[in-house]
Amino acid sequence: MKVAIQGCCHGDLDAIYDHIANLESQNGYKVDLLLICGDFQAMRNWSDLTVMAAPEKYKEIKDFHKYYSGASQAPILTIVIGGNHEASNYLWELYYGGWLAPNIYFLGHAGSVIVNGLRISGASGIYKDHDFRFGHHEKLPYDKSAQRSIYHIREYCVRKLSLLPQPDIFISHDWPQSIEHYGDLRGLLRHKRHLKADIDAGRLGSPPLMGLLKTLKPKWWFAAHLHTRFEATVPHDDPGRVNNETALSANPDEILIEDDDLVDKPATILLKNNPDEVTLSDEEQHVQSLPPKLSVTNFLALDKCLPKRRFLEVIDIPTPAFEQTGPPLSSAGPTLSFDPVWLAITRAFHPNLSLSRVQAAFPSEIHARALVEHELKWVYEHVRPKLDGGWAILECQKFVATAPPIALVESGRMKGGTPQCKGPFLHIVM
């Protein structure tokens, strides 16, 4: 399956879809899926624009309202996560995930879905230590503080994500902390000199996301936020998945303490496993079996959508088998499906969802996994039959407009104040 990955969107949907169409024409292929790594800016109207945390000069209605109203149609199944410049009130309506517009699906504040057998998981927002342990306490109308804290990732979301099986793809807005040490750090600093102070102090990126990367070991991790292209390869110490509390620590500052020494070791690990280094004396003594192949996570961050920027890439990713609903796949496009394990995790952790500043205590990892196993049986017994024996999201979840869009001629920068629009908060009902 050909997957297009976009860095920050900043509302420029028309330019992104046009760029993909040009790539398809030039290269003779068809892109099946588009992933957008945050700052999507799903502005339906002027009211949504008032809640976006950004300087006034950047508050602009761009393209999304056309796709929301039906004036334009997303030509490719598009999955997005949130960043730190969003219509946060609208994303809150779809906290668990849902259709922002026809063919444009929001993964939720945290979420996981299956597309043609690929498990695609992700986390919205960015990390701030002072909000990480709080519940979701923000209430409309958002004040200046809530406009920012609403998009700060919570421990609640990280704990749920840590219980997933290995994803094929993980998408985030923030970078995992210390990821810069696994790629061309000098090249990064040539393009982004202002990052040096944060890198030297160990402040660049999100500690909980690095915890998730080392716990889940996804094959691919895509991100945005820093407006630059950056590649990295993170080797994992063993080819299997180890269950641990790395991503579940109540203190995010502790997540990487025991892993700090690993930051500069990827090259050493690879050299030790280089069969070309076997000496003559080794060969004379005995023939050793090759060490197991290290599993790795391929990390790619991309720029924002601007001319002459590296903001989008297309990657061919093989798709494994997965139970689908209905006839075999056709030219109609890929099938977006619920991840049954994520449904079970959501049910298991629903009693811990806090809508105040105080976050309720979490179960231990052992207890949490037992709860998820119990709920997974419930999901298969009760949810699957309602989806005709499969998991296709469109079998039960449709796009519904919850606020009026602006007129097509009204796009542009905001003029004057507009009251914030309150929409429904959608709970999962099973």
Side-chain angles (χ1 to χ4, degrees), residues 161-166 211-212 214-217 238-248 258 364-370 373:
L161 289 165
S162 72
L163 299 173
L164 282 167
Q166 181 186 36
L212 285 174
K214 293 189 174 183
T215 297
L216 299 178
K217 303 175 184 176
D238 60 87
R241 181 163 183 262
V242 178
N243 295 336
N244 56 57
E245 292 278 347
T246 299
L248 299 180
E258 62 183 12
S364 68
E365 183 187 2
I366 293 175
H367 186 205
R369 292 192 181 278
E373 184 178 356

PDB file of all heavy atoms in Angstrom, residues 161-166 211-212 214-217 238-248 258 364-370 373:
ATOM      1  N   LEU A 161      -2.090   3.788  25.287  1.00  0.00           N
ATOM      2  CA  LEU A 161      -1.312   3.425  24.109  1.00  0.00           C
ATOM      3  C   LEU A 161      -0.260   2.368  24.416  1.00  0.00           C
ATOM      4  O   LEU A 161       0.046   1.509  23.570  1.00  0.00           O
ATOM      5  CB  LEU A 161      -0.644   4.666  23.520  1.00  0.00           C
ATOM      6  CG  LEU A 161      -1.571   5.674  22.830  1.00  0.00           C
ATOM      7  CD1 LEU A 161      -0.860   7.005  22.633  1.00  0.00           C
ATOM      8  CD2 LEU A 161      -2.072   5.130  21.500  1.00  0.00           C
ATOM      9  N   SER A 162       0.293   2.384  25.617  1.00  0.00           N
ATOM     10  CA  SER A 162       1.367   1.450  25.970  1.00  0.00           C
ATOM     11  C   SER A 162       0.897   0.007  26.008  1.00  0.00           C
ATOM     12  O   SER A 162       1.715  -0.915  26.006  1.00  0.00           O
ATOM     13  CB  SER A 162       1.966   1.827  27.330  1.00  0.00           C
ATOM     14  OG  SER A 162       1.058   1.527  28.377  1.00  0.00           O
ATOM     15  N   LEU A 163      -0.414  -0.220  26.033  1.00  0.00           N
ATOM     16  CA  LEU A 163      -0.959  -1.572  26.122  1.00  0.00           C
ATOM     17  C   LEU A 163      -1.254  -2.192  24.763  1.00  0.00           C
ATOM     18  O   LEU A 163      -1.716  -3.333  24.678  1.00  0.00           O
ATOM     19  CB  LEU A 163      -2.234  -1.554  26.967  1.00  0.00           C
ATOM     20  CG  LEU A 163      -2.045  -1.085  28.417  1.00  0.00           C
ATOM     21  CD1 LEU A 163      -3.394  -0.938  29.115  1.00  0.00           C
ATOM     22  CD2 LEU A 163      -1.157  -2.049  29.188  1.00  0.00           C
ATOM     23  N   LEU A 164      -0.999  -1.442  23.683  1.00  0.00           N
ATOM     24  CA  LEU A 164      -1.259  -1.953  22.343  1.00  0.00           C
ATOM     25  C   LEU A 164      -0.243  -3.021  21.930  1.00  0.00           C
ATOM     26  O   LEU A 164       0.886  -3.023  22.412  1.00  0.00           O
ATOM     27  CB  LEU A 164      -1.185  -0.810  21.322  1.00  0.00           C
ATOM     28  CG  LEU A 164      -2.382   0.124  21.215  1.00  0.00           C
ATOM     29  CD1 LEU A 164      -1.998   1.358  20.408  1.00  0.00           C
ATOM     30  CD2 LEU A 164      -3.575  -0.584  20.565  1.00  0.00           C
ATOM     31  N   PRO A 165      -0.630  -3.909  21.016  1.00  0.00           N
ATOM     32  CA  PRO A 165       0.372  -4.729  20.337  1.00  0.00           C
ATOM     33  C   PRO A 165       1.250  -3.828  19.463  1.00  0.00           C
ATOM     34  O   PRO A 165       0.949  -2.655  19.277  1.00  0.00           O
ATOM     35  CB  PRO A 165      -0.469  -5.685  19.468  1.00  0.00           C
ATOM     36  CG  PRO A 165      -1.867  -5.577  19.979  1.00  0.00           C
ATOM     37  CD  PRO A 165      -1.999  -4.208  20.582  1.00  0.00           C
ATOM     38  N   GLN A 166       2.308  -4.382  18.914  1.00  0.00           N
ATOM     39  CA  GLN A 166       3.239  -3.599  18.096  1.00  0.00           C
ATOM     40  C   GLN A 166       2.524  -2.976  16.900  1.00  0.00           C
ATOM     41  O   GLN A 166       1.948  -3.672  16.070  1.00  0.00           O
ATOM     42  CB  GLN A 166       4.371  -4.485  17.582  1.00  0.00           C
ATOM     43  CG  GLN A 166       5.398  -3.726  16.749  1.00  0.00           C
ATOM     44  CD  GLN A 166       6.432  -4.641  16.117  1.00  0.00           C
ATOM     45  OE1 GLN A 166       6.133  -5.752  15.711  1.00  0.00           O
ATOM     46  NE2 GLN A 166       7.670  -4.161  16.052  1.00  0.00           N
ATOM     47  N   GLY A 211       9.297   6.746  25.524  1.00  0.00           N
ATOM     48  CA  GLY A 211       8.908   5.556  26.277  1.00  0.00           C
ATOM     49  C   GLY A 211       8.020   4.645  25.459  1.00  0.00           C
ATOM     50  O   GLY A 211       8.187   3.417  25.450  1.00  0.00           O
ATOM     51  N   LEU A 212       7.061   5.242  24.740  1.00  0.00           N
ATOM     52  CA  LEU A 212       6.182   4.441  23.881  1.00  0.00           C
ATOM     53  C   LEU A 212       6.965   3.806  22.741  1.00  0.00           C
ATOM     54  O   LEU A 212       6.709   2.649  22.372  1.00  0.00           O
ATOM     55  CB  LEU A 212       5.051   5.307  23.326  1.00  0.00           C
ATOM     56  CG  LEU A 212       3.930   5.674  24.290  1.00  0.00           C
ATOM     57  CD1 LEU A 212       2.967   6.662  23.635  1.00  0.00           C
ATOM     58  CD2 LEU A 212       3.166   4.420  24.731  1.00  0.00           C
ATOM     59  N   LYS A 214      10.029   2.809  22.685  1.00  0.00           N
ATOM     60  CA  LYS A 214      10.824   1.671  23.162  1.00  0.00           C
ATOM     61  C   LYS A 214       9.953   0.534  23.684  1.00  0.00           C
ATOM     62  O   LYS A 214      10.391  -0.621  23.713  1.00  0.00           O
ATOM     63  CB  LYS A 214      11.801   2.145  24.235  1.00  0.00           C
ATOM     64  CG  LYS A 214      12.871   3.072  23.676  1.00  0.00           C
ATOM     65  CD  LYS A 214      13.965   3.377  24.670  1.00  0.00           C
ATOM     66  CE  LYS A 214      15.072   4.191  24.005  1.00  0.00           C
ATOM     67  NZ  LYS A 214      16.202   4.455  24.914  1.00  0.00           N
ATOM     68  N   THR A 215       8.732   0.850  24.091  1.00  0.00           N
ATOM     69  CA  THR A 215       7.823  -0.189  24.561  1.00  0.00           C
ATOM     70  C   THR A 215       7.114  -0.873  23.398  1.00  0.00           C
ATOM     71  O   THR A 215       7.061  -2.103  23.308  1.00  0.00           O
ATOM     72  CB  THR A 215       6.778   0.415  25.522  1.00  0.00           C
ATOM     73  OG1 THR A 215       7.439   0.935  26.671  1.00  0.00           O
ATOM     74  CG2 THR A 215       5.776  -0.645  25.966  1.00  0.00           C
ATOM     75  N   LEU A 216       6.563  -0.082  22.481  1.00  0.00           N
ATOM     76  CA  LEU A 216       5.773  -0.623  21.372  1.00  0.00           C
ATOM     77  C   LEU A 216       6.631  -1.089  20.202  1.00  0.00           C
ATOM     78  O   LEU A 216       6.228  -1.965  19.441  1.00  0.00           O
ATOM     79  CB  LEU A 216       4.776   0.429  20.885  1.00  0.00           C
ATOM     80  CG  LEU A 216       3.742   0.912  21.901  1.00  0.00           C
ATOM     81  CD1 LEU A 216       2.850   1.983  21.269  1.00  0.00           C
ATOM     82  CD2 LEU A 216       2.892  -0.243  22.415  1.00  0.00           C
ATOM     83  N   LYS A 217       7.782  -0.463  20.003  1.00  0.00           N
ATOM     84  CA  LYS A 217       8.694  -0.801  18.900  1.00  0.00           C
ATOM     85  C   LYS A 217       7.994  -0.817  17.542  1.00  0.00           C
ATOM     86  O   LYS A 217       8.058  -1.805  16.804  1.00  0.00           O
ATOM     87  CB  LYS A 217       9.359  -2.151  19.169  1.00  0.00           C
ATOM     88  CG  LYS A 217      10.111  -2.198  20.480  1.00  0.00           C
ATOM     89  CD  LYS A 217      10.654  -3.573  20.784  1.00  0.00           C
ATOM     90  CE  LYS A 217      11.326  -3.578  22.159  1.00  0.00           C
ATOM     91  NZ  LYS A 217      11.795  -4.914  22.552  1.00  0.00           N
ATOM     92  N   ASP A 238      16.274  -6.296  21.639  1.00  0.00           N
ATOM     93  CA  ASP A 238      15.901  -7.679  21.366  1.00  0.00           C
ATOM     94  C   ASP A 238      14.825  -7.678  20.302  1.00  0.00           C
ATOM     95  O   ASP A 238      14.063  -6.727  20.176  1.00  0.00           O
ATOM     96  CB  ASP A 238      15.385  -8.369  22.633  1.00  0.00           C
ATOM     97  CG  ASP A 238      14.168  -7.665  23.194  1.00  0.00           C
ATOM     98  OD1 ASP A 238      13.047  -7.985  22.756  1.00  0.00           O
ATOM     99  OD2 ASP A 238      14.328  -6.794  24.071  1.00  0.00           O
ATOM    100  N   PRO A 239      14.728  -8.760  19.524  1.00  0.00           N
ATOM    101  CA  PRO A 239      13.749  -8.792  18.445  1.00  0.00           C
ATOM    102  C   PRO A 239      12.332  -8.979  18.909  1.00  0.00           C
ATOM    103  O   PRO A 239      11.391  -8.715  18.190  1.00  0.00           O
ATOM    104  CB  PRO A 239      14.200  -9.996  17.596  1.00  0.00           C
ATOM    105  CG  PRO A 239      14.931 -10.872  18.556  1.00  0.00           C
ATOM    106  CD  PRO A 239      15.602  -9.951  19.533  1.00  0.00           C
ATOM    107  N   GLY A 240      12.152  -9.398  20.143  1.00  0.00           N
ATOM    108  CA  GLY A 240      10.798  -9.600  20.660  1.00  0.00           C
ATOM    109  C   GLY A 240      10.318  -8.392  21.413  1.00  0.00           C
ATOM    110  O   GLY A 240      11.062  -7.472  21.719  1.00  0.00           O
ATOM    111  N   ARG A 241       9.061  -8.393  21.776  1.00  0.00           N
ATOM    112  CA  ARG A 241       8.482  -7.266  22.513  1.00  0.00           C
ATOM    113  C   ARG A 241       8.464  -7.590  23.989  1.00  0.00           C
ATOM    114  O   ARG A 241       8.024  -8.658  24.396  1.00  0.00           O
ATOM    115  CB  ARG A 241       7.060  -6.988  22.017  1.00  0.00           C
ATOM    116  CG  ARG A 241       6.410  -5.811  22.737  1.00  0.00           C
ATOM    117  CD  ARG A 241       5.201  -5.318  21.953  1.00  0.00           C
ATOM    118  NE  ARG A 241       4.627  -4.161  22.617  1.00  0.00           N
ATOM    119  CZ  ARG A 241       3.582  -4.241  23.425  1.00  0.00           C
ATOM    120  NH1 ARG A 241       3.013  -5.392  23.647  1.00  0.00           N
ATOM    121  NH2 ARG A 241       3.095  -3.151  24.000  1.00  0.00           N
ATOM    122  N   VAL A 242       8.982  -6.693  24.795  1.00  0.00           N
ATOM    123  CA  VAL A 242       9.036  -6.895  26.234  1.00  0.00           C
ATOM    124  C   VAL A 242       7.982  -6.022  26.891  1.00  0.00           C
ATOM    125  O   VAL A 242       7.906  -4.826  26.638  1.00  0.00           O
ATOM    126  CB  VAL A 242      10.438  -6.533  26.788  1.00  0.00           C
ATOM    127  CG1 VAL A 242      10.465  -6.689  28.284  1.00  0.00           C
ATOM    128  CG2 VAL A 242      11.503  -7.403  26.135  1.00  0.00           C
ATOM    129  N   ASN A 243       7.173  -6.619  27.752  1.00  0.00           N
ATOM    130  CA  ASN A 243       6.189  -5.839  28.506  1.00  0.00           C
ATOM    131  C   ASN A 243       6.899  -5.199  29.692  1.00  0.00           C
ATOM    132  O   ASN A 243       7.546  -5.880  30.487  1.00  0.00           O
ATOM    133  CB  ASN A 243       5.064  -6.745  29.007  1.00  0.00           C
ATOM    134  CG  ASN A 243       4.271  -7.335  27.859  1.00  0.00           C
ATOM    135  OD1 ASN A 243       4.243  -6.763  26.777  1.00  0.00           O
ATOM    136  ND2 ASN A 243       3.630  -8.464  28.093  1.00  0.00           N
ATOM    137  N   ASN A 244       6.803  -3.910  29.819  1.00  0.00           N
ATOM    138  CA  ASN A 244       7.432  -3.232  30.942  1.00  0.00           C
ATOM    139  C   ASN A 244       6.688  -1.954  31.234  1.00  0.00           C
ATOM    140  O   ASN A 244       5.734  -1.596  30.569  1.00  0.00           O
ATOM    141  CB  ASN A 244       8.918  -2.948  30.650  1.00  0.00           C
ATOM    142  CG  ASN A 244       9.107  -2.161  29.372  1.00  0.00           C
ATOM    143  OD1 ASN A 244       8.558  -1.073  29.231  1.00  0.00           O
ATOM    144  ND2 ASN A 244       9.869  -2.700  28.441  1.00  0.00           N
ATOM    145  N   GLU A 245       7.152  -1.240  32.245  1.00  0.00           N
ATOM    146  CA  GLU A 245       6.487  -0.022  32.682  1.00  0.00           C
ATOM    147  C   GLU A 245       7.134   1.221  32.071  1.00  0.00           C
ATOM    148  O   GLU A 245       6.901   2.329  32.526  1.00  0.00           O
ATOM    149  CB  GLU A 245       6.557   0.081  34.215  1.00  0.00           C
ATOM    150  CG  GLU A 245       5.739  -0.969  34.951  1.00  0.00           C
ATOM    151  CD  GLU A 245       4.281  -0.576  35.053  1.00  0.00           C
ATOM    152  OE1 GLU A 245       3.974   0.584  34.779  1.00  0.00           O
ATOM    153  OE2 GLU A 245       3.464  -1.423  35.416  1.00  0.00           O
ATOM    154  N   THR A 246       7.966   1.053  31.034  1.00  0.00           N
ATOM    155  CA  THR A 246       8.716   2.190  30.484  1.00  0.00           C
ATOM    156  C   THR A 246       7.818   3.361  30.160  1.00  0.00           C
ATOM    157  O   THR A 246       8.082   4.493  30.534  1.00  0.00           O
ATOM    158  CB  THR A 246       9.468   1.768  29.215  1.00  0.00           C
ATOM    159  OG1 THR A 246      10.383   0.730  29.559  1.00  0.00           O
ATOM    160  CG2 THR A 246      10.247   2.940  28.644  1.00  0.00           C
ATOM    161  N   ALA A 247       6.739   3.108  29.425  1.00  0.00           N
ATOM    162  CA  ALA A 247       5.867   4.197  28.997  1.00  0.00           C
ATOM    163  C   ALA A 247       4.779   4.487  30.008  1.00  0.00           C
ATOM    164  O   ALA A 247       3.985   5.394  29.814  1.00  0.00           O
ATOM    165  CB  ALA A 247       5.241   3.859  27.652  1.00  0.00           C
ATOM    166  N   LEU A 248       4.719   3.715  31.112  1.00  0.00           N
ATOM    167  CA  LEU A 248       3.616   3.859  32.052  1.00  0.00           C
ATOM    168  C   LEU A 248       4.006   4.608  33.308  1.00  0.00           C
ATOM    169  O   LEU A 248       3.185   4.790  34.188  1.00  0.00           O
ATOM    170  CB  LEU A 248       3.095   2.469  32.462  1.00  0.00           C
ATOM    171  CG  LEU A 248       2.550   1.617  31.324  1.00  0.00           C
ATOM    172  CD1 LEU A 248       2.082   0.284  31.878  1.00  0.00           C
ATOM    173  CD2 LEU A 248       1.407   2.318  30.635  1.00  0.00           C
ATOM    174  N   GLU A 258      16.934   4.969  32.881  1.00  0.00           N
ATOM    175  CA  GLU A 258      17.764   3.796  32.677  1.00  0.00           C
ATOM    176  C   GLU A 258      18.184   3.644  31.215  1.00  0.00           C
ATOM    177  O   GLU A 258      18.997   2.797  30.889  1.00  0.00           O
ATOM    178  CB  GLU A 258      17.016   2.539  33.132  1.00  0.00           C
ATOM    179  CG  GLU A 258      15.744   2.284  32.350  1.00  0.00           C
ATOM    180  CD  GLU A 258      14.992   1.082  32.876  1.00  0.00           C
ATOM    181  OE1 GLU A 258      15.360   0.612  33.976  1.00  0.00           O
ATOM    182  OE2 GLU A 258      14.070   0.613  32.211  1.00  0.00           O
ATOM    183  N   SER A 364      -2.235  -1.089  37.953  1.00  0.00           N
ATOM    184  CA  SER A 364      -0.897  -1.539  37.592  1.00  0.00           C
ATOM    185  C   SER A 364      -0.928  -2.125  36.187  1.00  0.00           C
ATOM    186  O   SER A 364      -1.998  -2.446  35.654  1.00  0.00           O
ATOM    187  CB  SER A 364      -0.405  -2.591  38.584  1.00  0.00           C
ATOM    188  OG  SER A 364      -1.182  -3.781  38.448  1.00  0.00           O
ATOM    189  N   GLU A 365       0.252  -2.282  35.590  1.00  0.00           N
ATOM    190  CA  GLU A 365       0.293  -2.833  34.235  1.00  0.00           C
ATOM    191  C   GLU A 365      -0.308  -4.237  34.188  1.00  0.00           C
ATOM    192  O   GLU A 365      -1.063  -4.566  33.268  1.00  0.00           O
ATOM    193  CB  GLU A 365       1.722  -2.872  33.714  1.00  0.00           C
ATOM    194  CG  GLU A 365       1.788  -3.374  32.265  1.00  0.00           C
ATOM    195  CD  GLU A 365       3.198  -3.596  31.764  1.00  0.00           C
ATOM    196  OE1 GLU A 365       4.147  -3.393  32.540  1.00  0.00           O
ATOM    197  OE2 GLU A 365       3.330  -3.982  30.589  1.00  0.00           O
ATOM    198  N   ILE A 366       0.012  -5.076  35.176  1.00  0.00           N
ATOM    199  CA  ILE A 366      -0.516  -6.445  35.184  1.00  0.00           C
ATOM    200  C   ILE A 366      -2.035  -6.427  35.261  1.00  0.00           C
ATOM    201  O   ILE A 366      -2.729  -7.130  34.518  1.00  0.00           O
ATOM    202  CB  ILE A 366       0.081  -7.238  36.369  1.00  0.00           C
ATOM    203  CG1 ILE A 366       1.581  -7.438  36.166  1.00  0.00           C
ATOM    204  CG2 ILE A 366      -0.623  -8.584  36.514  1.00  0.00           C
ATOM    205  CD1 ILE A 366       2.277  -8.112  37.329  1.00  0.00           C
ATOM    206  N   HIS A 367      -2.565  -5.588  36.161  1.00  0.00           N
ATOM    207  CA  HIS A 367      -4.020  -5.484  36.295  1.00  0.00           C
ATOM    208  C   HIS A 367      -4.633  -4.892  35.031  1.00  0.00           C
ATOM    209  O   HIS A 367      -5.693  -5.354  34.560  1.00  0.00           O
ATOM    210  CB  HIS A 367      -4.367  -4.620  37.505  1.00  0.00           C
ATOM    211  CG  HIS A 367      -5.823  -4.568  37.808  1.00  0.00           C
ATOM    212  ND1 HIS A 367      -6.420  -3.508  38.486  1.00  0.00           N
ATOM    213  CD2 HIS A 367      -6.838  -5.432  37.508  1.00  0.00           C
ATOM    214  CE1 HIS A 367      -7.715  -3.735  38.582  1.00  0.00           C
ATOM    215  NE2 HIS A 367      -8.000  -4.887  38.012  1.00  0.00           N
ATOM    216  N   ALA A 368      -3.981  -3.885  34.456  1.00  0.00           N
ATOM    217  CA  ALA A 368      -4.511  -3.248  33.247  1.00  0.00           C
ATOM    218  C   ALA A 368      -4.592  -4.247  32.093  1.00  0.00           C
ATOM    219  O   ALA A 368      -5.581  -4.287  31.354  1.00  0.00           O
ATOM    220  CB  ALA A 368      -3.634  -2.055  32.857  1.00  0.00           C
ATOM    221  N   ARG A 369      -3.566  -5.055  31.926  1.00  0.00           N
ATOM    222  CA  ARG A 369      -3.582  -6.036  30.839  1.00  0.00           C
ATOM    223  C   ARG A 369      -4.665  -7.088  31.064  1.00  0.00           C
ATOM    224  O   ARG A 369      -5.285  -7.568  30.110  1.00  0.00           O
ATOM    225  CB  ARG A 369      -2.203  -6.681  30.695  1.00  0.00           C
ATOM    226  CG  ARG A 369      -1.158  -5.698  30.191  1.00  0.00           C
ATOM    227  CD  ARG A 369       0.134  -6.370  29.766  1.00  0.00           C
ATOM    228  NE  ARG A 369       1.106  -5.358  29.324  1.00  0.00           N
ATOM    229  CZ  ARG A 369       1.128  -4.821  28.120  1.00  0.00           C
ATOM    230  NH1 ARG A 369       0.224  -5.193  27.220  1.00  0.00           N
ATOM    231  NH2 ARG A 369       2.034  -3.912  27.800  1.00  0.00           N
ATOM    232  N   ALA A 370      -4.902  -7.443  32.312  1.00  0.00           N
ATOM    233  CA  ALA A 370      -5.983  -8.387  32.606  1.00  0.00           C
ATOM    234  C   ALA A 370      -7.344  -7.768  32.271  1.00  0.00           C
ATOM    235  O   ALA A 370      -8.231  -8.440  31.728  1.00  0.00           O
ATOM    236  CB  ALA A 370      -5.920  -8.803  34.077  1.00  0.00           C
ATOM    237  N   GLU A 373      -7.736  -7.790  28.475  1.00  0.00           N
ATOM    238  CA  GLU A 373      -8.043  -9.139  27.987  1.00  0.00           C
ATOM    239  C   GLU A 373      -9.521  -9.470  28.218  1.00  0.00           C
ATOM    240  O   GLU A 373     -10.183 -10.035  27.343  1.00  0.00           O
ATOM    241  CB  GLU A 373      -7.150 -10.156  28.692  1.00  0.00           C
ATOM    242  CG  GLU A 373      -7.339 -11.572  28.179  1.00  0.00           C
ATOM    243  CD  GLU A 373      -6.405 -12.568  28.857  1.00  0.00           C
ATOM    244  OE1 GLU A 373      -5.559 -12.139  29.671  1.00  0.00           O
ATOM    245  OE2 GLU A 373      -6.533 -13.779  28.576  1.00  0.00           O
TER     246      GLU A 373
END
